[in-house]
Amino acid sequence: MTTYLVTGGCGFIGINLVRALTQRGEFVRILDNLSTGKKDDAKLPGIDLQIGDIRDLGAVTKACEGVDKVVHLAAHTRVVDSVENPQVNFEINAIGTVNVLRACRSASVKKMIFASTGGAILGEQEPPVHEGMVPRPVSPYGASKLAGEAYCSAFHGSYGLNTVMLRFSNVYGPYSYHKGSVVAQFFRDLMQKKPLVVYGDGLQTRDFLYVDDLVEAILLADSIDTPGEAFQIASGRETSIRGLCETIRKVIPGLKFDVRYELARKGEIQRNYASIEKARRMLGYTPKTKLDDGLKSTWQWFLSFLGEPLHNR
Ligand SMILES: NC(=O)c1ccc[n+]([C@@H]2O[C@H](COP(=O)([O-])OP(=O)(O)OC[C@H]3O[C@@H](n4cnc5c(N)ncnc54)[C@H](O)[C@@H]3O)[C@@H](O)[C@H]2O)c1
């Protein structure tokens, strides 16, 4: 049995990963400050939940004691919030990540997997984006994640820490009810019979990745050694926001809704999808879930979850 620390393990991706790890019989500790994550979602047998903040080196050092591997997910995750408050974003994503790396080093952790981002660190580039491109973040969120990657690379180079950076695309799926990302926002709005709000002309594109495929990529990066490497983890498909609205209409028959267009938001990129060739080649990664199927399962999850009023969670 391997002991894992999952920072941010009470969040959307965290809960999905923690469930997969416990199903494999691994021992999991979570470090989370519950700023967006929910304690109840992590109430699984055998989980050691430590409530603390990654900005607190003492808390991170304690959480790393006796740990074999760390998946570092805890972060200030919203582009729009980072534009409003770049300082907090820097403290959580850059300093917090350095704290996690320092604690991994002190505890002789065997591997540290860092949750990075594809679109936000690279900025406006001609897609498909790939690992060979020079990053040009256009938001403080992208800049802080790039700083996190730089420190992961540096801790590998300077101290031999086995770090790997996974650049997630736009992830959707169960347990995302609190997220500001587009699929979660649309599904919350649909549950409340509100129109879907599209910022800009809706022709902007994203690469939507179902969370099970992301968890599979994390498990592959865990099992295969590629120290100091960065990988795009995405579906490899480009979907416009208008296209997403149409797919939702198709996969949820009978659901009637309007789409309202508003001004584009600052710091958001126009086109994004990724090449996943490197992850395919070096990790054997192949995303399996089609957008239609992923949206159907996510909608089913929202329906079952929102049996309870949202404000109770
Ligand atoms: N969801 C996506 O589409 C996506 C895309 C690219 C990258 N990522 C990255 O994946 C990771 C997980 O994202 P998510 O979508 O699950 O977000 P989330 O907000 O659901 O989860 C983040 C978790 O971290 C915790 N947290 C936040 N600040 C903390 C702090 N200072 N100390 C301790 N815990 C803290 C929150 O309580 C939450 O449980 C993040 O690093 C994010 O930047 C996510």
Side-chain angles (χ1 to χ4, degrees):
M1 190 199 278
T2 307
T3 299
Y4 288 83
L5 170 66
V6 181
T7 71
C10 294
F12 158 45
I13 294 169
I15 288 295
N16 283 283
L17 173 66
V18 165
R19 284 175 177 268
L21 288 171
T22 52
Q23 271 161 21
R24 289 200 325 185
E26 311 292 8
F27 179 76
V28 181
R29 181 179 294 155
I30 292 176
L31 177 67
D32 201 300
N33 70 355
L34 303 180
S35 53
T36 59
K38 299 284 176 288
K39 199 169 155 183
D40 283 355
D41 290 341
K43 269 196 186 143
L44 295 165
I47 297 285
D48 173 15
L49 172 60
Q50 299 193 359
I51 299 176
D53 200 295
I54 55 165
R55 286 167 290 185
D56 173 0
L57 180 60
V60 187
T61 305
K62 184 168 164 277
C64 276
E65 275 168 19
V67 161
D68 299 303
K69 293 176 173 179
V70 173
V71 183
H72 175 38
L73 301 173
H76 190 253
T77 64
R78 293 195 64 190
V79 169
V80 220
D81 293 348
S82 82
V83 174
E84 269 169 34
N85 199 336
Q87 184 62 28
V88 168
N89 182 266
F90 173 76
E91 285 163 12
I92 298 175
N93 292 1
I95 298 177
T97 298
V98 172
N99 285 343
V100 172
L101 288 163
R102 287 177 63 190
C104 286
R105 189 180 166 221
S106 306
S108 303
V109 162
K110 294 191 193 90
K111 184 176 283 193
M112 188 272 205
I113 299 175
F114 175 59
S116 186
T117 165
I121 66 161
L122 292 170
E124 285 293 354
Q125 309 251 11
E126 187 59 38
V129 297
H130 58 79
E131 297 83 355
M133 287 176 158
V134 178
R136 284 198 300 256
V138 290
S139 66
Y141 171 69
S144 66
K145 283 286 179 181
L146 181 58
E149 277 202 10
Y151 279 103
C152 288
S153 172
F155 269 64
H156 171 60
S158 299
Y159 312 114
L161 188 67
N162 187 351
T163 54
V164 56
M165 294 82 94
L166 302 183
R167 298 176 174 177
F168 308 163
S169 65
N170 201 304
V171 191
Y172 70 98
Y175 296 97
S176 59
Y177 51 86
H178 59 286
K179 295 294 297 180
S181 48
V182 60
V183 174
Q185 182 65 54
F186 279 1
F187 281 1
R188 273 200 309 274
D189 290 343
L190 291 176
M191 294 296 298
Q192 294 166 13
K193 303 200 182 313
K194 291 183 185 166
L196 304 188
V197 178
V198 172
Y199 296 96
D201 57 12
L203 296 179
Q204 67 271 37
T205 61
R206 296 293 179 265
D207 184 324
F208 294 107
L209 179 65
Y210 190 59
V211 70
D212 285 0
D213 287 329
L214 172 64
V215 167
E216 184 59 31
I218 296 174
L219 297 178
L220 285 167
D222 172 35
S223 63
I224 297 163
D225 267 340
T226 54
E229 293 288 342
F231 295 95
Q232 300 290 154
I233 304 295
S235 72
R237 289 186 304 257
E238 182 175 31
T239 304
S240 72
I241 303 302
R242 282 184 190 218
L244 177 69
C245 295
E246 290 319 308
T247 309
I248 292 175
R249 274 193 211 285
K250 190 178 84 189
V251 300
I252 315 175
L255 188 76
K256 291 199 171 32
F257 59 88
D258 292 326
V259 178
R260 199 173 74 216
Y261 289 87
E262 292 191 0
L263 284 181
R265 296 184 294 192
K266 281 208 164 57
E268 294 199 292
I269 53 177
Q270 185 61 24
R271 275 188 77 196
N272 187 251
Y273 77 100
S275 158
I276 50 174
E277 281 318 302
K278 185 177 173 187
R280 232 188 254 284
R281 188 169 27 89
M282 292 178 70
L283 301 175
Y285 163 71
T286 311
K288 297 182 184 73
T289 315
K290 291 191 184 118
L291 184 61
D292 293 25
D293 296 334
L295 288 173
K296 266 188 224 160
S297 332
T298 307
W299 178 247
Q300 283 308 320
W301 184 86
F302 268 74
L303 286 180
S304 59
F305 173 77
L306 289 179
E308 257 183 89
L310 193 59
H311 61 261
N312 284 350
R313 301 289 303 196

